[in-house]
Amino acid sequence: MQPLSLFGPIDAVLGSGDNPLILYVLLILVIVNIVTRAIAHRSNVSDAREQGADAIGQHPAHVASTILLILASFYLTTVEVHSGIVLSVLVVGMFITDFFELEALRVEARNDRSLSRPNGAIAASVLVLLYAAFLSVFFVVAPVWNAVV
């Protein structure tokens, strides 16, 4: 029995088959999010140096990639419930970590400290990247995994 199709044409393109295309889209979005995080951090460091702590803000490219990643992980929940929920929890955790890391950067800039890397957000991104990579390239490790499990 087929599950109820919530998104019609989107499901036909991204969510059909044994290995849905949304898994690869998610992997690409995670990589893009990591790149935009690096760009945003460089931008925040230069803004803090030139204009002060009040100039530190969200980079539009990073905001867009994070929103797309959240929406895509929620969409995965409609295609594959278990892996979608796990990935959605990881992505929402990464989003919350990004928020607190930005506030920490502002505090460091106000106290005239050198701005540190967003280590918590980097760690959360690595977790999301590992899980998205596991989902999208599972066919590579499937024979070994199935032999063990």
Side-chain angles (χ1 to χ4, degrees):
M1 186 168 135
Q2 282 282 55
L4 179 64
S5 176
L6 298 175
F7 294 102
I10 296 173
D11 283 341
V13 174
L14 293 177
S16 62
D18 292 334
N19 204 5
L21 187 62
I22 186 65
L23 298 175
Y24 302 107
V25 170
L26 279 163
L27 183 61
I28 291 168
L29 283 172
V30 171
I31 293 169
V32 167
N33 189 269
I34 291 171
V35 170
T36 60
R37 175 174 288 106
I39 293 169
H41 181 67
R42 286 189 192 135
S43 174
N44 286 334
V45 168
S46 68
D47 287 347
R49 190 178 311 125
E50 295 170 3
Q51 302 170 1
D54 294 332
I56 294 176
Q58 294 284 352
H59 195 276
H62 186 62
V63 170
S65 70
T66 302
I67 289 172
L68 286 174
L69 187 58
I70 290 170
L71 291 175
S73 67
F74 287 167
Y75 172 73
L76 180 64
T77 304
T78 67
V79 176
E80 295 182 12
V81 176
H82 181 266
S83 56
I85 289 174
V86 171
L87 188 65
S88 295
V89 167
L90 291 173
V91 169
V92 169
M94 184 185 69
F95 169 74
I96 292 169
T97 306
D98 274 342
F99 176 75
F100 284 108
E101 288 286 349
L102 182 68
E103 293 302 318
L105 282 177
R106 289 179 180 157
V107 169
E108 288 175 351
R110 279 189 216 110
N111 292 331
D112 294 326
R113 296 182 193 165
S114 63
L115 300 183
S116 62
R117 292 183 318 189
N119 292 327
I122 291 170
S125 295
V126 168
L127 283 174
V128 173
L129 176 65
L130 288 174
Y131 193 69
F134 173 75
L135 289 176
S136 61
V137 295
F138 182 73
F139 64 89
V140 174
V141 296
V144 176
W145 182 266
N146 292 332
V148 173
V149 175

